Short mmCIF file of all heavy atoms in Angstrom, two decimals:
data_model
loop_
_atom_site.label_atom_id
_atom_site.label_comp_id
_atom_site.label_asym_id
_atom_site.label_seq_id
_atom_site.Cartn_x
_atom_site.Cartn_y
_atom_site.Cartn_z
N ASN Y 1 125.31 78.34 125.73
CA ASN Y 1 124.29 78.06 124.73
C ASN Y 1 123.31 79.22 124.64
O ASN Y 1 122.85 79.57 123.55
CB ASN Y 1 123.57 76.75 125.06
CG ASN Y 1 122.60 76.35 123.98
OD1 ASN Y 1 122.91 76.42 122.79
ND2 ASN Y 1 121.42 75.93 124.38
N GLY Y 2 122.97 79.83 125.76
CA GLY Y 2 122.08 80.99 125.75
C GLY Y 2 122.69 82.17 125.01
O GLY Y 2 122.01 82.84 124.22
N ILE Y 3 123.96 82.42 125.25
CA ILE Y 3 124.65 83.51 124.55
C ILE Y 3 124.67 83.23 123.04
O ILE Y 3 124.35 84.10 122.23
CB ILE Y 3 126.09 83.68 125.10
CG1 ILE Y 3 126.04 84.19 126.53
CG2 ILE Y 3 126.91 84.61 124.20
CD1 ILE Y 3 127.37 84.12 127.27
N ALA Y 4 125.04 82.01 122.68
CA ALA Y 4 125.12 81.65 121.26
C ALA Y 4 123.75 81.70 120.59
O ALA Y 4 123.63 82.16 119.45
CB ALA Y 4 125.73 80.26 121.12
N ALA Y 5 122.71 81.24 121.28
CA ALA Y 5 121.36 81.27 120.70
C ALA Y 5 120.91 82.70 120.47
O ALA Y 5 120.27 83.00 119.45
CB ALA Y 5 120.38 80.54 121.62
N ALA Y 6 121.25 83.60 121.38
CA ALA Y 6 120.87 85.00 121.21
C ALA Y 6 121.60 85.63 120.02
O ALA Y 6 120.97 86.30 119.19
CB ALA Y 6 121.18 85.79 122.49
N VAL Y 7 122.89 85.40 119.92
CA VAL Y 7 123.66 85.96 118.80
C VAL Y 7 123.15 85.40 117.48
O VAL Y 7 122.93 86.13 116.50
CB VAL Y 7 125.18 85.66 118.97
CG1 VAL Y 7 125.95 85.99 117.71
CG2 VAL Y 7 125.73 86.42 120.17
N TRP Y 8 122.90 84.10 117.43
CA TRP Y 8 122.40 83.44 116.22
C TRP Y 8 121.04 83.99 115.82
O TRP Y 8 120.81 84.30 114.65
CB TRP Y 8 122.34 81.93 116.46
CG TRP Y 8 121.77 81.15 115.34
CD1 TRP Y 8 122.43 80.73 114.22
CD2 TRP Y 8 120.44 80.65 115.22
NE1 TRP Y 8 121.58 80.02 113.41
CE2 TRP Y 8 120.35 79.96 114.01
CE3 TRP Y 8 119.31 80.74 116.02
CZ2 TRP Y 8 119.18 79.35 113.58
CZ3 TRP Y 8 118.15 80.13 115.60
CH2 TRP Y 8 118.08 79.44 114.39
N ALA Y 9 120.13 84.12 116.77
CA ALA Y 9 118.78 84.60 116.46
C ALA Y 9 118.82 86.02 115.91
O ALA Y 9 118.12 86.33 114.93
CB ALA Y 9 117.89 84.52 117.70
N VAL Y 10 119.62 86.87 116.50
CA VAL Y 10 119.73 88.25 116.03
C VAL Y 10 120.37 88.28 114.63
O VAL Y 10 119.85 88.93 113.72
CB VAL Y 10 120.54 89.12 117.03
CG1 VAL Y 10 120.87 90.48 116.42
CG2 VAL Y 10 119.76 89.29 118.33
N ALA Y 11 121.48 87.58 114.46
CA ALA Y 11 122.20 87.62 113.18
C ALA Y 11 121.37 87.05 112.03
O ALA Y 11 121.24 87.69 110.98
CB ALA Y 11 123.52 86.85 113.30
N VAL Y 12 120.80 85.89 112.21
CA VAL Y 12 120.05 85.25 111.12
C VAL Y 12 118.70 85.93 110.92
O VAL Y 12 118.23 86.07 109.78
CB VAL Y 12 119.92 83.73 111.36
CG1 VAL Y 12 119.11 83.07 110.26
CG2 VAL Y 12 121.30 83.09 111.45
N GLY Y 13 118.08 86.39 112.00
CA GLY Y 13 116.83 87.13 111.87
C GLY Y 13 117.01 88.41 111.07
O GLY Y 13 116.23 88.73 110.17
N TRP Y 14 118.08 89.14 111.40
CA TRP Y 14 118.38 90.36 110.65
C TRP Y 14 118.74 90.04 109.21
O TRP Y 14 118.41 90.81 108.29
CB TRP Y 14 119.50 91.16 111.32
CG TRP Y 14 118.97 92.16 112.28
CD1 TRP Y 14 118.95 92.08 113.64
CD2 TRP Y 14 118.36 93.42 111.96
NE1 TRP Y 14 118.35 93.19 114.17
CE2 TRP Y 14 117.98 94.04 113.17
CE3 TRP Y 14 118.09 94.08 110.76
CZ2 TRP Y 14 117.37 95.28 113.22
CZ3 TRP Y 14 117.47 95.32 110.81
CH2 TRP Y 14 117.11 95.90 112.02
N ALA Y 15 119.42 88.93 108.98
CA ALA Y 15 119.76 88.54 107.60
C ALA Y 15 118.48 88.34 106.78
O ALA Y 15 118.39 88.78 105.63
CB ALA Y 15 120.60 87.27 107.59
N GLY Y 16 117.48 87.68 107.36
CA GLY Y 16 116.20 87.51 106.68
C GLY Y 16 115.52 88.85 106.43
O GLY Y 16 114.93 89.07 105.37
N TYR Y 17 115.59 89.72 107.41
CA TYR Y 17 114.99 91.05 107.27
C TYR Y 17 115.68 91.82 106.14
O TYR Y 17 115.02 92.43 105.29
CB TYR Y 17 115.12 91.81 108.59
CG TYR Y 17 114.37 93.11 108.62
CD1 TYR Y 17 113.02 93.15 108.97
CD2 TYR Y 17 115.00 94.31 108.29
CE1 TYR Y 17 112.32 94.34 109.01
CE2 TYR Y 17 114.31 95.51 108.33
CZ TYR Y 17 112.97 95.52 108.68
OH TYR Y 17 112.27 96.70 108.70
N LEU Y 18 117.01 91.78 106.11
CA LEU Y 18 117.76 92.48 105.06
C LEU Y 18 117.54 91.83 103.70
O LEU Y 18 117.51 92.52 102.67
CB LEU Y 18 119.25 92.52 105.41
CG LEU Y 18 119.58 93.36 106.64
CD1 LEU Y 18 121.07 93.22 107.00
CD2 LEU Y 18 119.20 94.82 106.45
N PHE Y 19 117.34 90.51 103.68
CA PHE Y 19 116.99 89.83 102.43
C PHE Y 19 115.67 90.38 101.90
O PHE Y 19 115.53 90.64 100.71
CB PHE Y 19 116.88 88.32 102.66
CG PHE Y 19 116.30 87.57 101.49
CD1 PHE Y 19 117.06 87.35 100.36
CD2 PHE Y 19 115.00 87.10 101.53
CE1 PHE Y 19 116.52 86.68 99.27
CE2 PHE Y 19 114.46 86.42 100.46
CZ PHE Y 19 115.22 86.20 99.32
N GLY Y 20 114.72 90.59 102.79
CA GLY Y 20 113.44 91.17 102.39
C GLY Y 20 113.62 92.57 101.84
O GLY Y 20 112.98 92.95 100.85
N GLN Y 21 114.50 93.34 102.46
CA GLN Y 21 114.76 94.70 102.00
C GLN Y 21 115.42 94.68 100.62
O GLN Y 21 115.03 95.43 99.73
CB GLN Y 21 115.64 95.42 103.01
CG GLN Y 21 115.81 96.88 102.77
CD GLN Y 21 116.56 97.55 103.91
OE1 GLN Y 21 117.34 96.91 104.61
NE2 GLN Y 21 116.35 98.83 104.08
N ALA Y 22 116.40 93.81 100.45
CA ALA Y 22 117.08 93.70 99.14
C ALA Y 22 116.11 93.22 98.08
O ALA Y 22 116.12 93.73 96.95
CB ALA Y 22 118.26 92.74 99.25
N PHE Y 23 115.26 92.28 98.43
CA PHE Y 23 114.26 91.77 97.49
C PHE Y 23 113.32 92.89 97.06
O PHE Y 23 112.99 93.03 95.89
CB PHE Y 23 113.49 90.61 98.15
CG PHE Y 23 112.51 89.96 97.24
CD1 PHE Y 23 112.94 89.09 96.25
CD2 PHE Y 23 111.15 90.21 97.36
CE1 PHE Y 23 112.04 88.49 95.40
CE2 PHE Y 23 110.24 89.61 96.51
CZ PHE Y 23 110.68 88.74 95.53
N GLN Y 24 112.92 93.71 98.01
CA GLN Y 24 112.01 94.82 97.71
C GLN Y 24 112.70 95.84 96.80
O GLN Y 24 112.09 96.35 95.86
CB GLN Y 24 111.54 95.49 98.99
CG GLN Y 24 110.47 96.52 98.77
CD GLN Y 24 109.92 97.03 100.08
OE1 GLN Y 24 110.56 96.95 101.11
NE2 GLN Y 24 108.71 97.55 100.03
N LEU Y 25 113.95 96.12 97.05
CA LEU Y 25 114.68 97.06 96.19
C LEU Y 25 114.83 96.51 94.78
O LEU Y 25 114.76 97.24 93.80
CB LEU Y 25 116.07 97.35 96.77
CG LEU Y 25 116.11 98.22 98.02
CD1 LEU Y 25 117.53 98.28 98.59
CD2 LEU Y 25 115.59 99.62 97.72
N LEU Y 26 115.04 95.20 94.70
CA LEU Y 26 115.21 94.56 93.40
C LEU Y 26 113.93 94.61 92.58
O LEU Y 26 113.95 94.90 91.40
CB LEU Y 26 115.64 93.10 93.62
CG LEU Y 26 116.54 92.51 92.58
CD1 LEU Y 26 117.95 93.06 92.80
CD2 LEU Y 26 116.55 91.01 92.71
N LEU Y 27 112.83 94.31 93.20
CA LEU Y 27 111.56 94.21 92.47
C LEU Y 27 110.69 95.44 92.59
O LEU Y 27 109.65 95.52 91.93
CB LEU Y 27 110.77 92.99 92.94
CG LEU Y 27 111.37 91.64 92.62
CD1 LEU Y 27 110.48 90.54 93.14
CD2 LEU Y 27 111.59 91.48 91.13
N GLY Y 28 111.05 96.37 93.45
CA GLY Y 28 110.21 97.54 93.64
C GLY Y 28 109.04 97.22 94.54
O GLY Y 28 109.08 96.29 95.34
N GLU Y 29 108.00 97.95 94.41
CA GLU Y 29 106.82 97.83 95.27
C GLU Y 29 105.79 96.87 94.68
O GLU Y 29 104.63 97.23 94.53
CB GLU Y 29 106.21 99.21 95.49
CG GLU Y 29 107.11 100.18 96.21
CD GLU Y 29 107.35 99.77 97.65
OE1 GLU Y 29 106.48 99.15 98.29
OE2 GLU Y 29 108.46 100.06 98.16
N VAL Y 30 106.17 95.69 94.36
CA VAL Y 30 105.27 94.71 93.77
C VAL Y 30 104.69 93.85 94.90
O VAL Y 30 105.18 92.76 95.20
CB VAL Y 30 106.00 93.83 92.72
CG1 VAL Y 30 105.03 92.91 92.01
CG2 VAL Y 30 106.73 94.71 91.73
N GLU Y 31 103.65 94.36 95.55
CA GLU Y 31 103.08 93.71 96.74
C GLU Y 31 102.60 92.30 96.45
O GLU Y 31 102.86 91.38 97.22
CB GLU Y 31 101.92 94.55 97.28
CG GLU Y 31 101.34 94.04 98.58
CD GLU Y 31 102.31 94.16 99.74
OE1 GLU Y 31 103.18 95.03 99.73
OE2 GLU Y 31 102.20 93.35 100.68
N ASP Y 32 101.91 92.09 95.34
CA ASP Y 32 101.39 90.77 95.02
C ASP Y 32 102.52 89.76 94.84
O ASP Y 32 102.44 88.64 95.32
CB ASP Y 32 100.53 90.84 93.75
CG ASP Y 32 99.81 89.53 93.48
OD1 ASP Y 32 99.25 88.96 94.44
OD2 ASP Y 32 99.83 89.09 92.31
N MET Y 33 103.60 90.17 94.21
CA MET Y 33 104.74 89.29 93.99
C MET Y 33 105.39 88.93 95.32
O MET Y 33 105.79 87.79 95.53
CB MET Y 33 105.76 89.97 93.08
CG MET Y 33 107.01 89.15 92.85
SD MET Y 33 106.69 87.61 92.00
CE MET Y 33 106.96 88.14 90.34
N GLN Y 34 105.48 89.87 96.25
CA GLN Y 34 106.08 89.61 97.54
C GLN Y 34 105.30 88.55 98.30
O GLN Y 34 105.87 87.66 98.92
CB GLN Y 34 106.17 90.89 98.36
CG GLN Y 34 107.15 91.89 97.79
CD GLN Y 34 107.09 93.21 98.50
OE1 GLN Y 34 106.26 93.44 99.37
NE2 GLN Y 34 107.99 94.11 98.13
N ILE Y 35 103.97 88.67 98.26
CA ILE Y 35 103.13 87.69 98.95
C ILE Y 35 103.32 86.31 98.32
O ILE Y 35 103.40 85.29 99.02
CB ILE Y 35 101.65 88.12 98.93
CG1 ILE Y 35 101.45 89.37 99.75
CG2 ILE Y 35 100.74 87.01 99.40
CD1 ILE Y 35 101.73 89.20 101.24
N LYS Y 36 103.43 86.26 97.01
CA LYS Y 36 103.64 84.97 96.33
C LYS Y 36 104.99 84.36 96.71
O LYS Y 36 105.09 83.16 96.94
CB LYS Y 36 103.52 85.13 94.83
CG LYS Y 36 102.10 85.38 94.36
CD LYS Y 36 102.03 85.58 92.88
CE LYS Y 36 100.59 85.88 92.47
NZ LYS Y 36 100.48 86.24 91.07
N VAL Y 37 106.01 85.19 96.76
CA VAL Y 37 107.34 84.69 97.15
C VAL Y 37 107.31 84.21 98.60
O VAL Y 37 107.85 83.15 98.93
CB VAL Y 37 108.42 85.77 96.94
CG1 VAL Y 37 109.73 85.37 97.61
CG2 VAL Y 37 108.63 86.01 95.46
N LEU Y 38 106.65 84.96 99.47
CA LEU Y 38 106.51 84.56 100.86
C LEU Y 38 105.78 83.23 100.96
O LEU Y 38 106.19 82.34 101.71
CB LEU Y 38 105.75 85.66 101.62
CG LEU Y 38 105.94 85.76 103.12
CD1 LEU Y 38 107.41 85.84 103.49
CD2 LEU Y 38 105.21 86.97 103.65
N GLY Y 39 104.74 83.08 100.17
CA GLY Y 39 103.99 81.82 100.14
C GLY Y 39 104.85 80.68 99.61
O GLY Y 39 104.81 79.57 100.12
N ALA Y 40 105.63 80.95 98.57
CA ALA Y 40 106.52 79.92 98.01
C ALA Y 40 107.58 79.51 99.03
O ALA Y 40 107.90 78.32 99.16
CB ALA Y 40 107.18 80.43 96.73
N LEU Y 41 108.13 80.49 99.77
CA LEU Y 41 109.10 80.16 100.81
C LEU Y 41 108.47 79.30 101.90
O LEU Y 41 109.07 78.31 102.36
CB LEU Y 41 109.67 81.43 101.44
CG LEU Y 41 110.74 82.17 100.65
CD1 LEU Y 41 111.05 83.51 101.31
CD2 LEU Y 41 112.00 81.34 100.55
N ALA Y 42 107.26 79.66 102.30
CA ALA Y 42 106.56 78.88 103.33
C ALA Y 42 106.30 77.46 102.83
O ALA Y 42 106.50 76.48 103.56
CB ALA Y 42 105.25 79.56 103.72
N ALA Y 43 105.87 77.33 101.58
CA ALA Y 43 105.62 76.01 101.01
C ALA Y 43 106.91 75.20 100.91
O ALA Y 43 106.92 73.99 101.19
CB ALA Y 43 104.96 76.14 99.64
N ALA Y 44 108.01 75.86 100.53
CA ALA Y 44 109.29 75.16 100.43
C ALA Y 44 109.76 74.66 101.79
O ALA Y 44 110.25 73.54 101.92
CB ALA Y 44 110.34 76.08 99.80
#
């Protein structure tokens, strides 16, 4: 379970990080929009 939890945390954590990178490339440097999306994700 420890091995699996470590692999899962790294894989899904990096997926979220890469999602953020892809989102930034898609929308450019729209800082206000990023904060709103982050807020919407937190609210969801």
Side-chain angles (χ1 to χ4, degrees):
N1 185 44
I3 292 168
V7 169
W8 177 82
V10 169
V12 178
W14 268 103
Y17 188 86
L18 294 174
F19 170 75
Q21 189 173 26
F23 184 76
Q24 188 173 22
L25 288 173
L26 212 76
L27 293 180
E29 297 293 329
V30 186
E31 185 67 27
D32 188 45
M33 177 64 93
Q34 292 173 355
I35 293 296
K36 288 178 182 173
V37 168
L38 204 52
L41 282 172

